Amino acid sequence: MNRTFVICLVGVLAWTPWGIGSIALGQEAAEAEAATPAPIIEPEHLPNPASVARGDQMMVVGSDPIGVEEAYKVLESGGNAVDAAVVMGFVMAVTYPRAGNLGGGGFMLISENSHRTYALDYRERAPIDATTDLLLDDNGEPDRNKALFSHLSSGVPGTPAGLLLALSKYGTLTRQQALAPAIRLAEEGFEVDQQFHDSLIKGAIHLKRWPETARIFFKEDGEVYEVGEVFKQPDLAATLKRISLQGRAGFYQGPTAEAIAKQMKENGGLINLLDLNAYQPALRKPVRGSYRGYEVLSMPPPSSGGVHVIQILNTLEEYPIQKWGANQTETTHVMAEAMKIAYADRAWYMGDADFERVPVQRLTDERLGRVLKAKISLKKAKPSSEIAPTRFRGYEYPSTTHFSIIDKEGRAVSNTYTLNFSFGSGIVVAGTGVLMNNQMDDFTSKPGEPNAYGLIGSKANAIEPKKRMLSSMSPTILRDGRSKKVVLVTGSPGGSRIITTVVQVIENFVDHGMSLEDAVSAPRMHHQWMPDQIELEPGYNPEVVAPLQEKGHTLQPSRYWGAANSIAVDAKSGVITGVADPRRRGLAKGK
């Protein structure tokens, strides 16, 4: 069946009083799913031990140990959570280049001890000269190389402007203080650890396509830097110094901007000096929901994460998840059904709210959760081919990174940022040390066609000049519904699986009463509407396989995904627990 049919069939939906309808098609898909042989679920062997820390004053958790250490130093010396986040963001551009970046973008959610919350959007934007058909080949079909591995792959970077805005509005450090650790690590170098070494090996083919990238990340003989060797980046140090001295102008104007624009022009890219000079991050209102007495705060569009985290939780709240238990048949079934609906809605509605009408309030309304529950059968899975987007009248090889921080005053930061794929496009701008993103693939290059993560989009996420591409990044904070004190800070990398990862951490923590370590480490499942299958991590309960197949689900064993580096605060004792997801070699540090 053509993947685009749900996107195209709009006028034939059956309307309800709430303005919601669906299309019923044949049973071939469900029958095929039921006939699928049982998959083999491997035993659980998490790649690394979880890093767990406890304290009652402050906590930093992230995938890059060097970044965590530098951020923790900031908190110890009296800086606040935003100061620490900005320092960590710049440091990881040096020490964690597979995802930490200057040439990418992201989202930061800030909860102040005054109970105010801010959503900082520093997502990349399309260049001014971008066109809707930019990433299509001569036959009008999506061109993977253009979208991911060319100078056309990059949106205008947002990270430097975003981190600097966070620092100026909510931090206490000077710009020079905030940039100093990153400059030192780029100039003097740092010892290569196993994680950095392995990332270069895995990315070697990708990175060696570009002479400048190969020159920086590999030795003169082309060999990989070994564990314990010192890795220096003098060009990146010079770029960071310009930002330290000149602020935003040190990246978006002057030598760095000129180098980016020059290389783009020489290689068929579109980013020019006007694009760079015009880029601005945006302060937005967080999306808000509730789940079993907790206030859920997350990112609004152009992140789809917050909207659909809340939408899925609203649907699940109508079920006795606690009684059913974690990773049991009924729990897995209703989660998959709720996820299907949310991802269908994501495909239809989501885009940059500065350009498109996105029904955020309707999608996050608790009443919608009750309506959607009524459409889910406990006995049988509904094939994705029969699920249309909710209708209203009138109308991240993922290598993102997430870190969570809480300071001694109770401020919390949940930050997710990325280059998209590991090392982004793989292109380093000569003379700057800056790796460029390949986020243009997150636009819908052709409605109904999947991107690199298998996600389908509509015209709402089509390429337009200055438009921000849709994202699944979901930095999220839970607060006690009465006291408004932070109880959970979470988020994750993982491309299309980010939303479902965050939902399951919350569900494990809230519904199943798991410790934070167990909530983060527990095996995960994922459904994103298309393709119509439930992905299961190693170690997922094997007893659910046959019952889920009997309900009509197709099951697909998968590797581990995500890195939900999270922090929990016990409301009674005040104990703060940080957990670095064992799926990556991270670090939690606090006191």
Side-chain angles (χ1 to χ4, degrees):
M1 185 172 293
N2 191 316
R3 297 183 189 217
T4 65
F5 78 96
V6 174
I7 301 295
C8 300
L9 294 178
V10 176
V12 296
L13 299 178
W15 295 93
T16 72
W18 235 79
I20 300 169
S22 61
I23 300 173
L25 300 176
Q27 298 299 313
E28 297 87 353
E31 291 171 0
E33 289 169 0
T36 304
I40 297 174
I41 299 178
E42 298 292 338
E44 182 178 7
H45 297 291
L46 285 162
N48 309 286
S51 175
V52 181
R54 291 182 176 84
D56 58 8
Q57 296 182 46
M58 60 189 70
M59 188 68 62
V60 183
V61 187
S63 292
D64 175 42
I66 298 176
V68 170
E69 293 283 2
E70 294 296 337
Y72 184 76
K73 290 177 186 176
V74 172
L75 296 183
E76 273 201 313
S77 63
N80 68 25
V82 176
D83 294 322
V86 171
V87 168
M88 192 165 178
F90 280 119
V91 165
M92 289 176 69
V94 178
T95 59
Y96 198 74
R98 62 185 286 193
N101 64 85
L102 296 183
F107 302 99
M108 182 183 293
L109 190 66
I110 304 166
S111 175
E112 289 198 331
N113 55 353
S114 61
H115 308 152
R116 290 176 295 185
T117 307
Y118 309 98
L120 174 57
D121 167 9
Y122 58 100
R123 182 70 160 154
E124 302 91 331
R125 296 198 317 189
I128 293 169
D129 292 332
T131 57
T132 304
D133 61 356
L134 179 69
L135 303 179
L136 302 181
D137 62 20
D138 293 339
N139 297 317
E141 297 300 321
D143 187 320
R144 178 178 173 82
N145 189 66
K146 281 184 180 179
L148 294 172
F149 307 118
S150 77
H151 285 76
L152 289 173
S153 304
S154 298
V156 182
T159 295
L163 295 180
L164 291 173
L165 179 61
L167 184 69
S168 65
K169 288 190 71 68
Y170 310 112
T172 65
L173 299 182
T174 66
R175 195 171 60 241
Q176 290 72 29
Q177 290 172 320
L179 271 292
I183 293 170
R184 169 175 49 81
L185 289 160
E187 195 165 46
E188 299 176 8
F190 59 91
E191 285 192 6
V192 170
D193 64 8
Q194 191 67 49
Q195 182 168 246
F196 189 88
H197 171 80
D198 291 347
S199 71
L200 291 179
I201 291 177
K202 291 177 182 177
I205 296 176
H206 176 43
L207 298 174
K208 288 183 177 181
R209 294 178 62 187
W210 308 99
E212 180 69 5
T213 309
R215 180 185 71 81
I216 289 174
F217 286 103
F218 298 89
K219 300 177 185 178
E220 289 185 6
D221 60 3
E223 292 298 311
V224 175
Y225 283 87
E226 298 295 337
V227 175
E229 292 185 324
V230 175
F231 180 70
K232 299 180 180 181
Q233 299 170 84
D235 289 347
L236 185 56
T239 297
L240 289 163
K241 286 179 180 178
R242 285 192 285 272
I243 297 172
S244 176
L245 292 172
Q246 303 169 32
R248 185 185 178 284
F251 185 89
Y252 295 93
Q253 299 173 19
T256 302
E258 290 166 3
I260 294 171
K262 178 176 183 291
Q263 185 158 319
M264 288 288 164
K265 184 176 181 180
E266 291 174 349
N267 292 276
L270 297 183
I271 298 174
N272 58 36
L273 289 173
L274 184 58
D275 287 310
L276 292 160
N277 191 42
Y279 180 86
Q280 293 292 342
L283 284 169
R284 305 188 185 279
K285 291 183 179 180
V287 291
R288 296 172 183 267
S290 64
Y291 188 64
R292 306 202 193 280
Y294 294 98
E295 182 183 28
V296 183
L297 300 154
S298 196
M299 288 301 304
S303 167
S304 63
V307 169
H308 296 306
V309 164
I310 292 171
Q311 181 184 6
I312 293 170
L313 289 174
N314 283 343
T315 306
L316 295 179
E317 191 166 18
E318 296 295 311
Y319 291 99
I321 300 293
Q322 296 163 305
K323 178 181 176 182
W324 288 341
N327 293 5
Q328 299 301 313
T329 299
E330 298 303 332
T331 302
T332 306
H333 170 70
V334 298
M335 286 199 304
E337 297 300 285
M339 290 170 183
K340 288 180 193 177
I341 297 168
Y343 276 82
D345 288 344
R346 182 189 189 280
W348 182 263
Y349 287 113
M350 286 295 152
D352 185 346
D354 291 341
F355 285 73
E356 307 294 336
R357 184 184 175 191
V358 182
V360 172
Q361 295 300 320
R362 289 184 171 186
L363 288 170
T364 57
D365 195 309
E366 291 181 357
R367 292 173 294 175
L368 177 61
R370 293 191 287 272
V371 172
L372 297 180
K373 174 181 179 289
K375 293 181 173 293
I376 294 174
S377 166
L378 289 178
K379 295 181 179 180
K380 190 174 183 61
K382 177 174 284 190
S384 291
S385 57
E386 297 181 14
I387 296 176
T390 303
R391 301 298 296 160
F392 299 110
R393 289 194 178 104
Y395 182 136
E396 263 87 75
Y397 178 81
S399 198
T400 302
T401 189
H402 175 84
F403 56 82
S404 300
I405 301 174
I406 287 181
D407 64 26
K408 62 179 64 177
E409 300 298 328
R411 296 181 193 85
V413 170
S414 181
N415 187 88
T416 313
Y417 76 155
T418 187
L419 288 166
N420 199 22
F421 273 27
S422 186
F423 296 98
S425 65
I427 297 170
V428 170
V429 176
T432 70
V434 175
L435 268 164
M436 295 299 291
N437 68 83
N438 54 3
Q439 296 286 11
M440 293 297 286
D441 180 61
D442 280 354
F443 279 118
T444 302
S445 57
K446 184 177 181 179
E449 290 295 321
N451 70 0
Y453 295 104
L455 288 169
I456 294 173
S458 70
K459 289 183 179 180
N461 189 39
I463 301 171
E464 293 183 52
K466 294 188 177 182
K467 191 176 188 179
R468 288 177 164 91
M469 60 289 291
L470 188 60
S471 172
S472 294
M473 289 185 278
S474 311
T476 299
I477 294 173
L478 260 66
R479 298 196 301 209
D480 181 88
R482 293 183 177 181
S483 70
K484 301 301 181 183
K485 291 183 178 179
V486 171
V487 296
L488 181 68
V489 184
T490 191
S492 180
S496 59
R497 302 177 183 91
I498 292 174
I499 295 169
T500 56
T501 295
V502 171
V503 165
Q504 287 169 88
V505 171
I506 293 171
E507 183 193 283
N508 289 341
F509 183 75
V510 174
D511 284 313
H512 304 307
M514 292 185 186
S515 68
L516 185 61
E517 181 179 357
D518 289 343
V520 168
S521 301
R524 297 171 186 148
M525 54 78 65
H526 171 75
H527 202 305
Q528 63 181 53
W529 179 50
M530 295 287 184
D532 192 356
Q533 62 187 28
I534 300 176
E535 295 181 31
L536 301 175
E537 279 193 328
Y540 204 89
N541 182 7
E543 294 181 1
V544 307
V545 171
L548 286 173
Q549 288 186 319
E550 289 172 3
K551 290 179 183 291
H553 291 287
T554 294
L555 306 183
Q556 179 62 50
S558 180
R559 64 185 179 186
Y560 291 104
W561 63 76
N565 301 313
S566 305
I567 300 173
V569 183
D570 187 284
K572 294 181 179 179
S573 67
V575 172
I576 305 170
T577 301
V579 176
D581 198 319
R583 292 162 181 80
R584 294 192 186 179
R585 297 186 188 97
L587 178 64
K589 187 164 185 175
K591 73 173 185 178

